[in-house]
């Protein structure tokens, strides 16, 4: 296992529209994607791109709003009505190797490997096995030098 | 206000030693700083460096362990014994301008501007004014191209 890019941090919000205003008007973000639904995950998502020293290829902020009461984000917002930090996502070169690695370490994996918001395979690891952090593992998008945009 | 680099995400832990094992042995991190005490903040800290497409200048993970029961991290760990995501830190070019900006927007600033773990001035914004995220604002270290190492 080799640590890859911190692709994004997931931030739950009761309103992506309000979060976009917050990041654009208050925090001065200039590069925010159009929100889109991921009905199979029960969420609407949107990415705030952050700068590095040379471009906008920094760790993204993934805004996540529940689509309905069955969404996995719904329970999080019940406990944290304003929203807040929900998960971290690290890239790996090979999702199957990574899954086998964590399985071999007896880490609980939450469901099957599936296609994530960047179009590459992902899975989630149980926060209680990950020092309290819900952790997403995502295969690096090909031909994008790890940018994940 | 212009959004700068996501310098680091702060992760509270009951044991930096255990978190270093987790990030090194389990997650495959190869570049982890020596832990050091910040007694004026009541914490011990340590940085896990993450890669970008070209070097190790990605968003850092700041591990934070309380030095004693008066530490601001102590209460967080009482609620989250395993630890977890504690704050996010964005860089700005000028800390005084940034402070004036957030004051003008009626955001609650937690205490005076002080020197942070990277040796540059920082302040914290109340999570209830920041969509649920405890947010640190940090002046970009000079001559490091925003690297923050």
């Amino acid at each position: 296992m080799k640590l890859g890019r911190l692709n994004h941090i997931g931030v739950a919000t009761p309103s992506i529209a309000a979060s976009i205003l917050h990041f654009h008007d208050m925090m001065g973000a200039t590069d925010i994607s159009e929100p889109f639904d991921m009905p199979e995950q029960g969420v609407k998502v949107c990415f705030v791109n952050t700068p590095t020293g040379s471009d906008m290829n920094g760790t993204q902020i993934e805004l996540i709003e529940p689509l309905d009461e069955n969404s996995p984000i719904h329970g999080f917002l019940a406990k944290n009505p304003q929203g807040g930090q929900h998960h971290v996502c690290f890239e790996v070169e090979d999702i199957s190797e990574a899954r086998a690695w964590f399985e071999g370490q007896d880490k609980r994996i939450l469901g099957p490997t599936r296609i994530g918001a960047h179009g590459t395979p992902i899975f989630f690891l149980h926060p209680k096995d990950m020092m309290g952090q819900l952790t997403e593992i995502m295969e690096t998008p090909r031909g994008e030098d790890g940018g994940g945009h």
Side-chain angles (χ1 to χ4, degrees), chain A:
Chain A
M1 182 69 191
K2 185 182 161 199
L3 189 72
R5 284 181 77 244
L6 180 58
N7 182 278
H8 63 264
I9 58 170
V11 175
T13 175
S15 164
I16 279 185
S19 287
I20 289 176
L21 278 179
H22 172 75
F23 277 102
H24 184 273
D25 292 3
M26 181 66 53
M27 296 299 294
T30 56
D31 189 351
I32 302 178
S33 79
E34 283 294 316
F36 58 100
D37 291 353
M38 297 190 69
E40 67 281 10
Q41 315 273 0
V43 293
K44 180 191 291 282
V45 301
C46 169
F47 288 97
V48 179
N49 292 311
T50 70
T52 64
S54 56
D55 62 16
M56 291 298 286
N57 192 23
T59 292
Q60 295 175 303
I61 297 156
E62 180 185 36
L63 302 171
I64 321 163
E65 178 187 320
L67 280 179
D68 56 42
E69 292 192 357
N70 299 317
S71 169
I73 303 296
H74 183 71
F76 183 92
L77 288 173
K79 288 183 198 162
N80 308 276
Q82 283 202 307
Q85 287 169 245
H86 180 262
H87 69 269
V88 291
C89 176
F90 292 99
E91 294 181 14
V92 294
E93 288 183 20
D94 185 311
I95 199 78
S96 301
E97 271 182 26
R99 190 171 176 113
W101 165 256
F102 287 110
E103 281 173 347
Q105 302 287 324
D106 289 330
K107 299 295 183 188
R108 280 168 284 181
I109 298 179
L110 302 168
T113 300
R114 52 199 183 272
I115 299 300
H118 292 88
T120 69
I122 62 116
F123 60 83
F124 281 90
L125 292 154
H126 198 297
K128 289 198 175 165
D129 292 348
M130 300 299 285
M131 306 283 298
Q133 292 196 288
L134 177 60
T135 303
E136 180 180 355
I137 303 293
M138 142 184 180
E139 195 165 275
T140 299
R142 301 292 166 208
E144 294 192 11
D145 193 29
H149 289 180

